[in-house]
Amino acid sequence: MSDRDLKTRKMTSMRIGGITTLILLLLISAPGWANGQTIPRGLLEAVTPSSGTNPAPMNPADLVAGPFPLSGTSAYGVCYMPENNPWAQPILVVAELFSGESWVYDALTLDSIGPIPNPPAGISVTGVTTDGSFLYWGVINPPGPNEIWRTDADGSNPVLVGIAQLQGGAFIGGICWDGANGLWAADITTDRYDLLSITDGTYLGVSVDHPDSAGLGNGLAYRADCDRLAIPHGNDLAGRVTTVSSVSTQSSVALAPVDLSNHGFFINGIESSRPAVSPLADPFGMMSYWVVDNSSNTISIRSEE
C-alpha cells in the first residue's frame, strides 16, 4: 500500500450538529509505545480535499513571492531569526515533522541553506521558534508527554527545557515566543493555544480560543507590534486550513480573517515579519507573513497590506 493510500485512511471526530461521528483515519504509531498512544495524523498533515465554505479568496496581488518548493517532505512550523546566527544573515528555520533534521533558508530569497539536526527526542517535531539566541522546539514524544527542547541556532547542544503543560492534555503543534518569558503553543486536538514558560514549559495561566471555536489548525505566529497571534485555521467540515485570523492574546477576539485558499490547501506553518525577536523587521517593506503549506510542501510570502 502506498504512502498516499495510507494518508487517505484516517480517523477523526467530526462535529455535526453537536453529534460526534467517527470516520476512518490513519493513526500513527511507533513500535514499543508502552501505552499504545497514537497521534491523529489528520490533525498534523493535509488530508483529501472536501467541500466547505470559505470567505472570498485573497487577491493574488497580495502574494509577495512564491510558492517555493521546500527541502524535506513534511514541512511544519517556521520561524524567522535575524543575523545573530552561524550564517550571519536573516534566516528561516522550517521544522520537519517526520525527520531527523529540519531546514534553514534565506529569509529573503527563500533559497535553501541546508539542514540542521532536530532535537533527539520523539517522532514528531511540530513547532520551532527563537528568542534570538536559541531555537525552541515543540516535540510530540509518545507515549510520554509533549516536550519543549532548546538548541543552538545550528541545532547543536540539545537541552530538554521541560514538559509542555498544555491544559487540554493533548498534542502540541506550532509554538512562538512572546518576547518575554513565554512560548505560545497550539494544542492541536483540543482547539486552544496556551502560554507556557520558556524556562520549564509550565502553564502561565493564559489561553486563547480557536478562531472557529473548534476545528483544524496547527500553527501560530506572534505579532510583536500589536500583541496579537496570527492563527491559520479551518472548520472541521472543510477538511483544510486556509484562513488566517489575527487574535487578541487578551480576549481571544479574532479579527481580519484572510482567506488563502488560492495559494494553499493545508497551512501548517506561519511566521510574522514582526516577530518578538525583531518587532520591526519587515524585510519586504510591509507587514507580511511567511506561510508553509504542508499539502504542497511549499513556502510563500503573503502581504497583509
Side-chain angles (χ1 to χ4, degrees), residues 167-168 185-188 190-194 203 206-210:
Q167 295 304 286
D187 184 330
I188 64 176
T190 56
D191 306 324
R192 57 184 286 163
Y193 308 84
D194 296 331
Y203 180 55
V206 183
S207 296
V208 166
D209 296 328
H210 189 282

Side-chain angles (χ1 to χ4, degrees), residues 74-79 93-97 101-103 118 125-128 137 292:
S74 187
Y76 205 86
V78 57
C79 76
V93 180
V94 178
E96 273 286 305
L97 185 60
E101 60 188 17
S102 291
W103 287 81
N118 282 344
V125 173
T126 59
V128 61
W137 306 81
V292 171

Side-chain angles (χ1 to χ4, degrees), residues 75-140:
Y76 205 86
V78 57
C79 76
Y80 171 82
M81 191 174 197
E83 293 85 349
N84 183 28
N85 59 65
W87 301 273
Q89 66 178 81
I91 62 170
L92 296 178
V93 180
V94 178
E96 273 286 305
L97 185 60
F98 301 115
S99 173
E101 60 188 17
S102 291
W103 287 81
V104 177
Y105 299 85
D106 185 306
L108 300 180
T109 66
L110 302 186
D111 289 335
S112 176
I113 294 175
I116 61 173
N118 282 344
I123 63 161
S124 302
V125 173
T126 59
V128 61
T129 190
T130 181
D131 63 356
S133 299
F134 299 101
L135 294 176
Y136 293 85
W137 306 81
V139 174
I140 297 177

Side-chain angles (χ1 to χ4, degrees), residues 18 42 69 71 73 78 82 96 102 109 114 116 127 146 171 173 185 216 226 264 267 269 272 295 305:
S71 303
T73 59
V78 57
E96 273 286 305
S102 291
T109 66
I116 61 173
N146 304 290
F171 295 112
L216 300 174
C226 59
I267 297 169
S272 164
S295 65
E305 297 181 355

Side-chain angles (χ1 to χ4, degrees), residues 18-41:
I19 301 174
T20 299
T21 303
L22 293 180
I23 66 173
L24 188 63
L25 270 181
L26 171 69
L27 294 181
I28 302 170
S29 62
W33 286 5
N35 299 321
Q37 186 175 1
T38 54
I39 305 169
R41 188 168 189 150

Side-chain angles (χ1 to χ4, degrees), residues 12 15 40-47 76 126 170-175 185-193 208-221 230-245 265-270 292:
T12 189
R15 302 174 181 84
R41 188 168 189 150
L43 299 175
L44 299 176
E45 292 191 290
V47 297
Y76 205 86
T126 59
F171 295 112
I172 193 169
I175 62 174
D187 184 330
I188 64 176
T189 46
T190 56
D191 306 324
R192 57 184 286 163
Y193 308 84
V208 166
D209 296 328
H210 189 282
D212 292 322
S213 297
L216 300 174
N218 303 326
L220 73 170
I231 298 178
H233 59 97
N235 187 277
D236 273 339
L237 297 179
R240 62 190 302 191
V241 178
T242 56
T243 303
V244 177
S245 291
F265 181 83
F266 205 94
I267 297 169
N268 265 343
I270 186 169
V292 171

